Amino acid sequence: GQSLEQPSEVTAVEGAIVQINCTYQTSGFYGLSWYQQHDGGAPTFLSYNALDGLEETGRFSSFLSRSDSYGYLLLQELQMKDSASYFCAVSYNTDKLIFGTGTRLQVFP
Amino acid sequence: GAGVSQTPSNKVTEKGKYVELRCDPISGHTALYWYRQSLGQGPEFLIYFQGTGAADDSGLPNDRFFAVRPEGSVSTLKIQRTERGDSAVYLCASSLKAPGEALWTDTQYFGPGTRLTVL
């Protein structure tokens, strides 16, 4: 089946940089998205990559390498409010998103 | 403008009962999605509507689950003969995705979810 792999947990301190990796199965791949979800909250869209390279949006950047079936989310200048779960999600040649199991980021002062 | 809303926010029911979960998408969004999220997991796709029709219901786990969107706006997810394993947060999302457009061309906006607990 179609599955994604990402680390279960990452910890960092305020002001640091953290990278959350995601690997996926290639067949039918269209694009890779990233969503943020705070405890008890709704997932919110962060970024999308369809082509190889880096997409930058403020403190957050996302990277994709289609040849390696790999992407990552880069969070810079970490703030306490960035503590949340981060999900990669893949669009295959269907109308649905397949989500990873999520990476829980804890930011410490 | 208002975001995606879902009611109720919490629903506790007994095994074997019938439940309905409601989703109000963002006005003008033609695409509507239902997902289910268990603790510690990512959202799991259930069904996708484009307008009034279910374009993809491949994620519905069995025939106890059914969803409708009769006027192309509000959607209701219906679960018959609930089981304890149905306990989860049910999320709804909407987007401006047009028919035939690739899914990835548009952002999905999620509602806060309905937490369903089956005792």
Side-chain angles (χ1 to χ4, degrees):
Chain A
Q2 299 158 333
S3 64
L4 292 82
E5 291 190 12
Q6 52 180 129
S8 59
E9 189 167 357
V10 174
T11 59
V13 296
E14 273 188 303
I17 299 173
V18 74
Q19 178 174 313
I20 300 173
N21 299 322
C22 176
T23 58
Y24 59 86
Q25 294 185 332
T26 304
S27 179
F29 174 84
Y30 274 171
L32 182 70
S33 302
W34 288 92
Y35 283 78
Q36 178 193 59
Q37 186 178 32
H38 287 96
D39 285 347
T44 56
F45 174 81
L46 292 177
S47 68
Y48 173 79
N49 295 72
L51 303 175
D52 286 356
L54 190 69
E55 295 283 341
E56 298 182 70
T57 309
R59 295 187 296 115
F60 294 179
S61 304
S62 58
F63 173 83
L64 177 66
S65 169
R66 296 176 70 105
S67 60
D68 295 322
S69 299
Y70 161 77
Y72 66 72
L73 179 69
L74 190 72
L75 299 89
Q76 303 181 73
E77 302 171 19
L78 280 174
Q79 302 175 9
M80 296 294 289
K81 68 178 181 180
D82 297 330
S83 293
S85 291
Y86 292 83
F87 295 91
C88 58
V90 172
S91 313
Y92 290 99
N93 52 359
T94 63
D95 284 318
K96 58 190 180 187
L97 282 175
I98 305 299
F99 282 81
T101 53
T103 298
R104 189 170 183 84
L105 171 64
Q106 289 188 294
V107 181
F108 294 98
Chain B
V4 178
S5 62
Q6 294 185 244
T7 54
S9 56
N10 280 283
K11 176 70 177 179
V12 180
T13 191
E14 294 180 341
K15 180 176 178 295
K17 299 291 188 182
Y18 168 83
V19 297
E20 289 189 353
L21 312 179
R22 176 187 167 108
C23 172
D24 268 286
I26 294 173
S27 178
H29 279 194
T30 57
L32 185 146
Y33 307 82
W34 282 99
Y35 294 85
R36 177 169 69 174
Q37 187 174 26
S38 300
L39 191 63
Q41 300 295 315
E44 174 193 6
F45 171 82
L46 295 177
I47 186 170
Y48 154 59
F49 285 90
Q50 184 60 252
T52 60
D56 184 344
D57 64 357
S58 62
L60 295 178
N62 51 60
D63 61 6
R64 294 187 299 105
F65 289 75
F66 189 70
V68 295
R69 194 185 185 201
E71 298 178 357
S73 178
V74 170
S75 176
T76 305
L77 179 66
K78 309 180 181 192
I79 311 174
Q80 299 178 320
R81 305 184 303 280
T82 52
E83 300 177 356
R84 292 193 180 88
D86 299 335
S87 297
V89 175
Y90 288 80
L91 294 164
C92 175
S94 70
S95 81
L96 283 167
K97 174 176 151 32
E101 235 176 30
L103 171 66
W104 51 265
T105 58
D106 196 60
T107 303
Q108 293 188 22
Y109 296 87
F110 282 80
T114 294
R115 182 175 298 278
L116 175 65
T117 303
V118 182
L119 301 176

